[in-house]
Amino acid sequence: MKIRHKLTAIIMLTSVTALLLGLIAFITWEYFDLKNQMVFNLLTHASIVADNSKAAVAFDDAKGAKSILNALHASPSIIHAHIIKADGNSFANYNRDANDQSIHILDLRGKNYAFTQDSLNLKHNIVDPDGENIGTIYLQAELKELYSGITRTAYIGLVIASIVICVTYLLSSRLQKIISGPILKLAVVAKDVSDKKDYSVRAIKHTEDEVGQLIEAFNEMLYEIQQRDIELREINEKLEIRVKERTADLVVVNQQLEELNTELKTTISKLTAANRDLSDFAHVAAHDLKAPLRAIGSLAGIMHEDYSDYLDEQGKNYLKMLIQRTERMSELINAILRYSEIGRLSSEKEVVDLNKTIKEITDNLAVPPNVKITIEDKLPTIVAEREKITQIFRNLIGNAVRYMDKPNGDIKVGFKKSEDFWTFYVSDNGPGIQEKYFDKIFTIFQSLKRRDELESIGIGLSIVKKIVELYGGKVWVESNFGNGSTFYFTWPINNLENINYEKLKTYSVS
Amino acid sequence: MELLQTLNKKLYIVILVLSLLATICYALNEAETKEYQLKAAFLYNFMKFVDWPGDFADTNEITIGIISKEPIGNLCEPLKDKKVKNKSVKIIQYPSFEELINLGKQDKKAMDEQIESIKKCHLLFISATETKNAKEILDQVKDKNILTVGELDGFLAMGGAINFVVEDKKIRFEINLEASDKAKLKISSQLLQLAKKVIKAKEQG
């Protein structure tokens, strides 16, 4: 709905409502006024007739009374009149219709007058000159006149109202332009601005009222927007230039990065290849060295058994040492083979209950009676290559047992759970490790004990490190030198969740 | 025996006739009673529709004089203890004019007293028994403010103000305005409307 239609509608609605209310009020007032007038008129009639008929009533002259009542013909609205004497007897009777001789007893319910559906009934006392009540006159007048009067008033009112409404419409449709005109012009300007994004146009102010203020404010706003627009455009232009510059820079950097990446990839593949070559070489070399070494060992053994009589003590000692060194070398070669095999051979992953694993390990290790191995918390069941996780725990617990130097050895196995990995630990109250060796101990063939003291080839921890890192975990040690050390390693959790449940069941059974 | 029977028969007839007469008398009497009750009501209302001049307003009583051979109880009874125009009604029963004359022959003073008393009445009812002397009575009270009411033929012609007549067995009345004017009485126009006949006053001057 357009604003000018709204304005016209509002004016029309208001004036029509006011008019109708006024009309209703007027008609209502008129209705009650007419009623009052009617009562007054009828009362006048009644009092005149009562006065005229008092002698007739006093002298019991029904004929005279009847002729007085007949004078009521002059008032056509009176349809019935009736005189009752003080003793209650009907005395004289009048009907507008001369043929009708019936007597109507009018019930006023104790009042002096009463309105019924279509008539006004009224009574008036007849008093003689002494003021004595000698009878009552009842009059009945029809309400036709009242209704026709009201109808006439209503018609006239409606006609006037219609004319007023027409005039109001003509006036309001002219006058609404005073308000809607400037607003419409403003709307046109606003639409222009929003369509063409042209903030240079201005609305013209005609009046000093609120609409004028609105136009002023609108123009100010346009000015402001215009300024902002200019600023924004400048900033935008600057920004675009900077973006272009930065983009160019980035392209260069990207190219460099890509080059670097390619280089890196090449390097990685070269390194991987080199690593594999090295590993292969170590494996092959160790493998190939095994046979001649075994031959040397065998020969030395034969020599020691069959030719010891030909050798002096010195010779016998040298031969013994030769055999020992050969055995040592064989162990080293086996260790190299084991180390290099990690990652080359992979078995299928399965569900492993670590509590069982630890029990098996401790059963197989010859644990001295003075050493106690405890599982701190019930360990979880994980998914892993059984051999590898078993090896990690075997090496760590084995080290702890082997290096135990206290009369009451205490070895604890436990874990902590993080969001996506387990952290397992094996702690002991053994000799401990100096901090400077924390990294060294994980390097292959590095044992902190002298060869002669303990039979150690220093490969256990390096194997642990290799397995853990193969699974994407970390391994480290914390130690208080002299009071024991704790080895930690992490193991990813999500493996279990990727396992098919059916498969898991069969694993559990097996 | 026969004589006795004849006597008996005669006695029967006599008794029959007597009872018949009694019935007629009673009926007549009854009619008369009703007539006078009505007339009493008329008199009562006449007083209401007629205005007396002069110092009438200051008096406490309104006096009705009745002249008749026999006292008319039925006329007096209904009017006793009534009030008209806020005055109590006083009824004086006078003897017939004939008796009054006779009285005058013996005691002139007593007769004059009676006549003076009559002249002080406000309303004077002259009964049908006074038909012969009505003219004389009216002459006596002429020029007094007395409403004269009669019930005899020619009463108005004799100078009476209101006369009862019977028409279709109903009691009505006639008015002589000339007489009432002379007595300086004002008769309500409504009363005139009800009158069977009104003798208008002669145009004066």
Side-chain angles (χ1 to χ4, degrees), chain A residues 72-267:
Chain A
L72 289 172
H73 269 301
S75 298
S77 69
I78 297 170
I79 49 178
H80 183 68
H82 186 206
I83 294 173
I84 290 175
K85 286 181 75 174
D87 57 11
N89 289 325
S90 175
F91 182 62
N93 180 39
Y94 161 80
N95 282 305
R96 188 176 60 187
D97 179 9
N99 298 325
D100 184 9
Q101 291 302 319
S102 61
I103 293 168
H104 305 275
I105 302 300
L106 304 175
D107 180 16
L108 298 177
R109 281 174 242 111
K111 289 186 280 186
N112 283 331
Y113 66 89
F115 279 94
T116 66
Q117 188 75 30
D118 49 8
S119 68
L120 164 61
N121 300 332
L122 179 143
K123 72 170 183 183
H124 194 278
N125 287 340
I126 300 173
V127 288
D128 66 12
D130 270 8
E132 203 173 316
N133 195 2
I134 53 174
T136 309
I137 177 157
Y138 288 87
L139 289 183
Q140 183 176 39
E142 62 186 359
L143 298 182
K144 246 188 216 165
E145 227 170 287
L146 174 73
Y147 290 139
S148 66
I150 286 298
T151 318
R152 199 172 50 239
T153 309
Y155 277 137
I156 293 169
L158 279 176
V159 168
I160 291 171
S162 314
I163 293 167
V164 169
I165 286 166
C166 288
V167 172
T168 310
Y169 178 73
L170 288 175
L171 274 177
S172 65
S173 52
R174 293 276 180 285
L175 293 179
Q176 53 83 19
K177 283 177 188 158
I178 294 170
I179 290 169
S180 70
I183 294 175
L184 289 179
K185 278 181 194 160
L186 185 63
V188 169
V189 173
K191 194 165 183 342
D192 267 11
V193 169
S194 72
D195 282 355
K196 298 173 188 163
K197 305 289 178 223
D198 178 7
Y199 301 112
S200 62
V201 292
R202 293 289 179 269
I204 301 152
K205 184 179 155 190
H206 292 285
T207 53
E208 284 301 327
D209 58 4
E210 286 87 343
V211 177
Q213 287 169 18
L214 181 71
I215 290 170
E216 218 167 83
F218 179 73
N219 283 340
E220 273 170 32
M221 206 169 70
L222 272 183
Y223 174 75
E224 200 111 310
I225 292 172
Q226 197 180 6
Q227 295 302 312
R228 295 264 172 94
D229 198 43
I230 291 164
E231 276 173 37
L232 210 70
R233 243 180 245 168
E234 281 169 7
I235 291 169
N236 246 0
E237 276 164 21
K238 278 184 198 163
L239 211 68
E240 260 170 44
I241 292 166
R242 279 177 73 181
V243 165
K244 271 179 193 163
E245 284 172 4
R246 285 289 157 86
T247 313
D249 287 356
L250 271 174
V251 167
V252 173
V253 171
N254 222 16
Q255 270 175 357
Q256 287 172 349
L257 262 174
E258 259 171 38
E259 279 165 21
L260 267 175
N261 231 7
T262 326
E263 240 170 79
L264 214 64
K265 269 183 193 164
T266 322
T267 314

Side-chain angles (χ1 to χ4, degrees), chain A residues 58-60, chain B residues 34-47 64-66 72 75 79 123-128 131 147-157 160-176 191 194-197:
Chain A
F59 288 98
D60 205 21
Chain B
K34 197 131 187 237
E35 186 188 323
Y36 279 109
Q37 278 173 353
L38 272 173
K39 281 181 178 166
F42 271 55
L43 290 183
Y44 173 72
N45 280 311
F46 285 156
M47 291 189 285
I64 300 175
I66 298 170
I72 313 170
L75 189 65
L79 291 172
L123 189 151
L124 185 64
F125 178 75
I126 298 161
S127 147
T131 311
L147 180 67
T148 49
V149 181
E151 49 169 3
L152 35 101
D153 294 340
F155 184 70
L156 296 191
I162 299 177
N163 188 33
F164 285 116
V165 289
V166 175
E167 186 188 65
D168 300 336
K169 292 178 183 171
K170 275 184 99 177
I171 292 170
R172 299 201 63 188
F173 55 89
E174 304 165 332
I175 296 174
N176 183 355
L191 195 61
L194 296 177
K196 191 194 163 208
K197 189 172 92 184

Side-chain angles (χ1 to χ4, degrees), chain A residues 418-435:
Chain A
S418 303
E419 199 173 324
D420 47 358
F421 55 86
W422 314 98
T423 304
F424 295 103
Y425 63 85
V426 175
S427 72
D428 61 63
N429 59 345
I433 300 158
Q434 278 175 287
E435 200 173 344

Side-chain angles (χ1 to χ4, degrees), chain B residues 17-85:
Chain B
V17 170
L18 274 176
S19 55
L20 208 78
L21 274 172
T23 315
I24 290 165
C25 275
Y26 181 78
L28 278 173
N29 206 34
E30 180 79 332
E32 207 181 69
T33 309
K34 197 131 187 237
E35 186 188 323
Y36 279 109
Q37 278 173 353
L38 272 173
K39 281 181 178 166
F42 271 55
L43 290 183
Y44 173 72
N45 280 311
F46 285 156
M47 291 189 285
K48 285 186 173 178
F49 286 88
V50 172
D51 284 332
W52 275 264
D55 57 356
F56 172 76
D58 302 331
T59 57
N60 293 327
E61 289 179 331
I62 184 160
T63 320
I64 300 175
I66 298 170
I67 303 179
S68 67
K69 211 173 242 173
E70 306 283 333
I72 313 170
N74 291 323
L75 189 65
C76 300
E77 279 306 311
L79 291 172
K80 249 203 298 188
D81 306 328
K82 285 262 177 169
K83 276 202 156 187
V84 174
K85 294 186 195 274

